[in-house]
Amino acid sequence: SERIVEETSPLRTVLRLSGDIVSATGERLLSATLRLHTYRGKPQVKVFVTLRHASRSLPNPVGLQWAEEPPVLFRHASLVVPLPASSTRYRLGVNAEVVDRAITGPVTVYQAFTRRLLPATGFTYSGHRLKIAPIAATYGGTTYPVYHQHGVELREGGQEVRPLGNEQDYLRGWITTGGVTAAMRWMPGLWPAGFAITPTTLSIDLFSPRNSLTAIPFTWGAHETREVLLDFSGADGDAVSAQLEY
């Protein structure tokens, strides 16, 4: 692993953390890079998380492009943040409403496929690069695994509070709990994604463990970045999320 201060100034500091994700046997699977942006006088950290599958062993014999390596299969990936205060309530934006509820057990919020903010084809950048699709589809001779979940799911203490099934449902990409507001840029289009709350942690699920696929295929050449803004003043979620729309 590597830690480097990439930028420092009176107004902003950028710290880069990089390393490899390895299997239980030590085999290199993916490269991971985190860039942490901190700002003078602001209780915020902007986090860029990048996963890459850049392993390569054999060139294409005709020399026009490199042969595609097998995909890396993984279940989920999350950014876990310790909470500075105990979590008794949480707030999040779903469609046009704000959900405000007491915490009675572990909370999971899951963004599955939604058509609400996407083109009629239903494809997103994430779905294209990772070769997953909400309908049976073939692209470039490769058949995508079919991703059957639609809408938004909310669970508390293992009990379903809001079920999946409505493909018009979408998260506004933010949640507030324990004095922390977390927002992920373009969350509705970057399914499967979501949040999870325990008494001491808040997880931003970049690739949610609630997804129905036993393994997400991370294709050779895939270079996926997720942008997250953490506000430690518990600020309004829509206001925090709006800072990511540029």
Side-chain angles (χ1 to χ4, degrees):
S1 62
E2 184 179 53
R3 291 174 289 180
I4 294 177
V5 177
E6 283 193 323
E7 178 183 336
T8 183
S9 72
L11 298 179
R12 183 176 73 170
T13 296
V14 179
L15 176 65
R16 187 186 76 201
L17 311 174
S18 58
D20 294 329
I21 299 173
V22 300
S23 68
T25 59
E27 179 187 6
R28 178 178 178 269
L29 300 176
L30 299 172
S31 298
T33 301
L34 277 73
R35 283 182 169 85
L36 310 179
H37 295 231
T38 60
Y39 306 90
R40 180 180 181 181
K42 286 190 174 184
Q44 294 182 336
V45 179
K46 184 181 288 186
V47 186
F48 294 83
V49 183
T50 301
L51 301 178
R52 301 183 305 281
H53 178 14
S55 298
R56 179 180 289 160
S57 58
L58 297 174
N60 187 306
V62 299
L64 296 179
Q65 63 183 27
W66 293 91
E68 183 167 309
E69 299 289 329
V72 170
L73 304 179
F74 70 100
R75 185 72 176 89
H76 64 91
S78 300
L79 179 65
V80 181
V81 180
L83 291 172
S86 60
S87 303
T88 58
R89 301 192 69 84
Y90 70 96
R91 290 166 52 89
L92 74 152
V94 181
N95 301 333
E97 65 179 298
V98 173
V99 175
D100 188 338
R101 294 177 61 91
I103 295 177
T104 57
V107 175
T108 58
V109 185
Y110 175 37
Q111 175 67 72
F113 168 73
T114 177
R115 291 190 184 277
R116 182 63 180 267
L117 303 177
L118 300 177
T121 59
F123 287 95
T124 66
Y125 174 77
S126 176
H128 168 75
R129 292 295 294 174
L130 299 180
K131 290 186 168 57
I132 56 178
I135 57 175
T138 299
Y139 182 85
T142 300
T143 300
Y144 288 34
V146 179
Y147 177 85
H148 293 287
Q149 296 168 302
H150 303 82
V152 171
E153 179 190 61
L154 175 58
R155 300 178 70 89
E156 297 175 352
Q159 301 298 311
E160 188 177 73
V161 175
R162 187 185 191 111
L164 292 169
N166 184 353
E167 64 181 18
Q168 295 297 319
D169 281 352
Y170 69 98
L171 295 174
R172 299 215 294 274
W174 61 266
I175 194 167
T176 300
T177 189
V180 177
T181 298
M184 181 173 131
R185 191 180 191 198
W186 299 341
M187 179 176 277
L190 295 175
W191 46 268
F195 302 103
I197 303 171
T198 72
T200 58
T201 63
L202 169 61
S203 294
I204 300 91
D205 293 331
L206 313 176
F207 299 93
S208 173
R210 296 293 302 164
N211 82 81
S212 61
L213 300 175
T214 56
I216 296 174
F218 207 88
T219 60
W220 179 84
H223 186 111
E224 291 287 315
T225 296
R226 300 293 184 263
E227 185 175 346
V228 174
L229 183 59
L230 302 172
D231 184 288
F232 294 93
S233 70
D236 174 75
D238 284 321
V240 174
S241 183
Q243 296 181 54
L244 295 174
E245 299 304 321
Y246 54 85

